[in-house]
Amino acid sequence: MFEILRKLSTFVMAGGKGERLYPLTRDRAKPAVPFGGIYRIIDFTLSNCINSGIRRINILTQYKSVSLARHIKMGWNIFNSELDEYIDVIPAQQRVGEYWYRGTADAIYQNFYTIEREDPEYVLILAGDHIYKMDYSKMLRFHIERKAEVTVGVVKMPRSQSTQLGVLDVDWDNRIVGFEEKPVEPRTIPGSPDKIYASMGIYIFNTATLFEELIPEAVEEGSRHDFGRDILPQAAGRRRLFAYPFVDENLTEPPYWRDIGTLEAYYEANLDLVAVTPHFNLYDKRWPVRTYQPQFPPVKMVFADEGENARRGQALDSVISSGCIISGGKVSRSVLSAQVRINSFALVEESVLMESVNVGRYARIRRAIIDKYVDILPGTRIGYDLAEDRKRFFVTDSGIVVIPKGRIIGAQEDRPRWQERLPERMLESSLVTRENDPLWKSQGQE
């Protein structure tokens, strides 16, 4: 299999805006959003590559890519160029026209130069914003054995979710005969009328087929330049397209594949990790997930006073990352990234706190996602009065409070941390409120 993998060129699509994850994507691309305490979303796709034996990887970026590029440089610089191994971050360059990437297919088309230089026999295209474990070498073997021109990774999903997914119509031999994007009346899996095959955004193309499909499509009027909306539906009737059913290396039932593209899905996937037996196993030595971890000290929990209202540092049913200090506060069913500090008598429940969040004394936080470098002032309550929270924060339909990075949150106001460096006379005019923050209006937060 090693020699076959040498004929493979891999592209990870990591340029998405992630609008439904706003405000977590206000300052970063969706694949760079932290997940599970110490990881970024893209780490799971890249770890799949390494565990599959793939060590020639191109990452295509476009929007707000600085955070992602820095993470790749610091955590994934593990390849030996002398062995023809590499991981390259390739920004949008307008190499073949005046456009930035207009869709997933256009992103590959604009990087034909890279493919021609590598001269692979096969091209593997991956999404960089899903959580799952998969051996791509098995999919490549399937592709070769079926003499396929294109193979699409698919996962079984309930028929009721078809309006959120790209759905494939397959025959009894898994040959793709149709492809629809978010259909109301989807084609179901043969023999399973309540299940559909949903596209995972994973494709293997014969290089010649990829060129033949993308070159004419690039100049087609009205095209959205997308694999799921344009390329695959058009190719289904005249190419050898096959569906590869997802084989879950997580070894659970049902198979675990998550597109955490909404705040609710992101929150639920994080909170699943604190279960006694989480659906997604991060502790599997057979399939390690790699990331960048700074040299922080171990977790520390201090104060163990006795009595009904005693000060006691404790964490229950939670994921706690390195450098955290639980200093006389309580954490329950939560995920804490590195260097979070929970001060005396504070309570954090069912929440996701990212790196360097500081929770002041007597503060109360419930069902919240708090981005990096947020300072929660003493006595602040978040998640207890959603009507009040909606006046100041982002609150999802299900009642999850989301606080953007780098803010100071108090009982009556919140402001960016950089305002601490402003002279007193400038503070009033510089306060960011719901009325003067253009980000609120751009996201329909009224």
Side-chain angles (χ1 to χ4, degrees), residues 320-380:
I320 311 295
S321 304
S322 59
C324 289
I325 300 177
I326 316 298
S327 179
K330 181 179 179 180
V331 178
S332 175
R333 298 200 70 248
S334 298
V335 177
L336 272 56
S337 292
Q339 288 198 306
V340 171
R341 185 182 181 99
I342 311 297
N343 289 290
S344 296
F345 307 106
L347 175 64
V348 177
E349 297 179 293
E350 297 185 318
S351 296
V352 179
L353 276 57
M354 297 186 193
E355 184 177 332
S356 298
V357 170
N358 180 70
V359 180
R361 285 187 166 211
Y362 295 100
R364 296 286 187 272
I365 300 171
R366 181 171 65 187
R367 285 178 53 79
I369 302 171
I370 303 179
D371 210 334
K372 291 183 176 184
Y373 313 122
V374 171
D375 192 2
I376 308 296
L377 298 183
T380 303

Side-chain angles (χ1 to χ4, degrees), residues 181-200:
E181 191 72 23
K182 301 178 181 179
V184 176
E185 296 293 334
R187 298 295 185 124
T188 58
I189 299 173
S192 300
D194 60 336
K195 297 287 185 180
I196 58 171
Y197 270 146
S199 172
M200 301 172 69

